Amino acid sequence: ALKAFADAETALRNAIHFAPDEYDNYVALAVLYNLAGNAYLDPVHYERAVAAAQEGAKIEPYGPALRYQIAWAYSRLSQRALAIKELEYALALDPMFASATVGLARLHEADGDYTRALAVLTAAIALDPNAQGVRETIRAIEASRDTVPGTRAR
């Protein structure tokens, strides 16, 4: 697995060297680092994901996918405020980015702010009633909220 990771990292770095203005290569490298962080439980990979995505953001500052990858890494590095900021920016760029919507709602839920979490999701449903995973996340957050004393919906 480590060799496959190293080979993928080398290939993406080579692709960036060959085509430094290609936004998608930076996204793919950030995804690789985030997945490695999840697989190997090593925060250095999340730090590399942030660095790769920020490098790509110099090429394409208005790329919501890079902002999502930065947020993913920040959330794993326990920097939730920064993750929330990046997801809010991603959604300002693309209000119908369902993964960013769900991620932002889950961060608000983790902070115990069920009202804000559900507001984010409800706004997404207003834009796209079929937004992937949003209705399911609403149900999950409502169920989670209802297990916390004093937060049950009335």
Side-chain angles (χ1 to χ4, degrees):
L2 288 174
K3 180 172 178 355
F5 167 77
D7 290 348
E9 180 184 33
T10 298
L12 288 167
R13 286 278 174 207
N14 288 341
I16 288 169
H17 180 74
F18 179 75
D21 294 337
E22 183 54 48
Y23 165 81
D24 291 331
N25 291 330
Y26 296 95
V27 174
L29 185 59
V31 168
L32 178 70
Y33 286 137
N34 275 326
L35 292 173
N38 289 351
Y40 304 124
L41 303 175
D42 185 346
V44 74
H45 294 297
Y46 298 125
E47 293 164 3
R48 289 179 181 158
V50 170
Q54 287 175 337
E55 188 179 336
K58 292 175 189 171
I59 305 302
E60 177 52 71
Y62 305 110
L66 282 172
R67 302 300 172 165
Y68 178 78
Q69 293 306 317
I70 293 170
W72 179 355
Y74 278 153
S75 71
R76 299 317 189 273
L77 291 167
S78 298
Q79 297 178 31
R80 284 210 301 259
L82 291 173
I84 287 170
K85 178 181 168 190
E86 291 295 337
L87 289 171
E88 288 173 341
Y89 187 62
L91 288 170
L93 296 170
D94 182 358
M96 295 177 69
F97 189 177
S99 295
T101 298
V102 169
L104 181 58
R106 288 299 194 172
L107 287 172
H108 287 313
E109 175 192 23
D111 287 340
D113 192 343
Y114 298 99
T115 301
R116 193 176 225 173
L118 292 168
V120 167
L121 297 165
T122 302
I125 291 294
L127 291 173
D128 179 4
N130 299 311
Q132 176 117 13
V134 173
R135 289 187 189 278
E136 296 84 353
T137 305
I138 289 172
R139 286 191 293 275
I141 289 176
E142 286 174 338
S144 174
R145 174 201 60 201
D146 291 348
T147 65
V148 176
T151 61
R152 181 176 294 277
R154 290 172 179 50

